[in-house]
Amino acid sequence: YCARYLGALETSGSDSLTLYVGDARAHQLALYVCDFDKAGREQTIELLDLAGHALTQPCTVSGFAQGKWLRYQFSGSIRIRLTNRKSTTTAVLSALMFDQSAKAAF
């Protein structure tokens, strides 16, 4: 018997996660979102610099009951902002992979 557990950053509104990086090199980031309980989630993910300036266009994600990977390239420290788009659900970020593991995720 093998039990599986899925952890997540979850918010009913908007929340962020800061990723501090100590160099200016280009890095890869893979984010995994999974609507594990098939609640019909819809959410927006944005990458921002620490001053709050957008580094990417906002990405709205829906229909991810089977899970979905999103891949980005960035340099320097960043903030990942997760915003819920439906009042009846929450927004979730299930995993993130940084650099070499981000390459292997696809």
Side-chain angles (χ1 to χ4, degrees):
Y1 174 76
C2 179
R4 293 184 183 195
Y5 301 96
L6 182 63
L9 169 64
E10 184 174 17
T11 181
S12 59
S14 182
D15 205 349
S16 64
L17 172 72
T18 303
L19 190 61
Y20 293 100
V21 179
D23 62 44
R25 293 181 310 135
H27 295 281
Q28 289 190 57
L29 176 68
L31 303 177
Y32 182 69
V33 294
C34 183
D35 185 3
F36 63 94
D37 57 359
K38 300 179 177 122
R41 287 176 169 83
E42 184 175 325
Q43 60 195 44
T44 301
I45 296 175
E46 299 171 272
L47 266 57
L48 311 162
D49 65 17
L50 296 186
H53 301 107
L55 300 174
T56 61
Q57 292 291 324
C59 176
T60 299
V61 186
S62 61
F64 54 100
Q66 298 298 316
K68 204 174 265 190
W69 285 100
L70 307 167
R71 186 163 66 180
Y72 300 93
Q73 290 196 4
F74 72 96
S75 60
S77 297
I78 61 168
R79 183 162 293 128
I80 304 163
R81 183 166 51 201
L82 182 65
T83 304
N84 185 29
R85 306 314 256 163
K86 288 180 133 180
S87 62
T88 57
T89 64
T90 57
V92 294
L93 174 60
S94 303
L96 64 87
M97 294 187 186
F98 183 76
D99 273 348
Q100 293 300 319
S101 52
K103 292 179 190 175
F106 298 94

